[in-house]
Amino acid sequence: MVADISAAPRVAEPVPQPAVEGRRRRDSAAWVAMYHSVSTCPDDPYDVTVTPARLERQLGWLAGRGLRGVSVRELLEARDRGTERGLVGLTFDDGYTDFVTEALPVLRWHGFTATVFVLPGLLGGANVWERTGPRKPLLDEDGVRRAAAAGMEVASHGMTHRDLTQAPDDVLRQEVAGSRHVLADLLGEDVAGFCYPYGHHDERAVDAVRMAGYRYACAIAPSPLGRGDLVLPRIHMGQADGSLRLELKRRLARVYGRALEAA
């Protein structure tokens, strides 16, 4: 049964954090978290699923430390104003149906926003790019509109989850520029963000993203091409990430090149 998302969000009060010099200041850099599916499915060979209960605990962990989850678009706008302190970018790759049924109610409970990267060439389909593991349904057009209407950022993950580094030029253009046009028509608004399938990118893929007019693009690991808003690194969030692991990831974000670069 689809969760009711029409109610006004109940915003959790942030916990004030003391102003501490030194390590806390260095560790407070903004970063971007990477999620995929939110479900109770135990068959997960790729470690891309968290249960709704685990997501609730992870977002509660953020809120309990005075951190607020936001979409990547909102995070970058805050960064450009110099007000990104205390923000964490939240992203959900692939556009699974469970983003609306499971993740969205938890996000709204905490007063958080997020970016969901969808595949406009597979709307209403399934994760056919995965060779093993369970088939999971993807958002259809109505689900995409519902996510946007709830205040979430909808951005592109390519048309069909192709490895862009292996795609011919015409396929690359369709996956990057074509997906942006399809989503813009569906949503009736500009699409600012892109996410490289599998995190794979090269100079040709980045150039295609730039030429298509995207404001930013998310990778996974720090890019061998350098830093910048078209190769944003992220931190993987998994079922095993409890409070201790989350704290380590937060503290080591800058050390391992996964913190948001200053404007």
Side-chain angles (χ1 to χ4, degrees), residues 8-141:
R10 289 169 283 187
V11 180
E13 290 294 331
V15 176
Q17 296 293 299
V20 178
E21 298 297 325
R23 186 171 61 184
R24 178 176 293 275
R25 174 169 293 180
R26 293 194 300 271
D27 292 342
S28 64
W31 46 281
V32 180
M34 179 182 69
Y35 287 96
H36 289 76
S37 175
V38 181
S39 76
T40 55
C41 177
D43 184 6
D44 181 20
Y46 303 104
D47 189 25
V48 295
T49 305
V50 298
T51 64
R54 176 60 77 181
L55 177 66
E56 166 59 41
R57 289 194 292 271
Q58 290 172 345
L59 298 190
W61 181 89
L62 293 176
R65 281 150 185 79
L67 303 173
R68 182 165 64 91
V70 297
S71 68
V72 179
R73 180 174 57 195
E74 186 175 344
L75 178 63
L76 293 179
E77 290 172 351
R79 190 276 313 271
D80 292 344
R81 298 190 301 268
T83 59
E84 77 276 19
R85 184 179 177 87
L87 301 181
V88 175
L90 299 179
T91 63
F92 292 79
D93 289 12
D94 303 333
Y96 292 102
T97 300
D98 57 45
F99 176 77
V100 166
T101 59
E102 303 292 350
L104 188 50
V106 181
L107 289 164
R108 288 172 62 86
W109 171 265
H110 288 286
F112 290 177
T113 60
T115 299
V116 55
F117 292 111
V118 304
L119 298 152
L122 296 176
L123 295 180
N127 54 332
V128 294
W129 62 90
E130 293 182 347
R131 296 182 179 179
T132 61
R135 284 286 167 257
K136 294 186 176 183
L138 304 177
L139 292 169
D140 58 13
E141 291 187 357

Side-chain angles (χ1 to χ4, degrees), residues 162-229:
R162 288 284 297 270
D163 180 348
L164 301 183
T165 65
Q166 304 297 318
D169 288 345
D170 59 334
V171 174
L172 177 62
R173 286 192 296 272
Q174 180 65 4
E175 290 285 327
V176 177
S179 65
R180 186 169 189 249
H181 293 315
V182 172
L183 277 181
D185 288 343
L186 174 61
L187 296 169
E189 62 183 29
D190 185 40
V191 175
F194 187 83
C195 177
Y196 301 103
Y198 310 104
H200 296 174
H201 62 279
D202 54 16
E203 289 185 2
R204 192 170 65 104
V206 174
D207 285 344
V209 169
R210 181 182 297 107
M211 292 173 60
Y214 288 99
R215 165 69 179 83
Y216 72 86
C218 286
I220 299 177
S223 174
L225 302 179
R227 298 180 64 86
D229 289 354

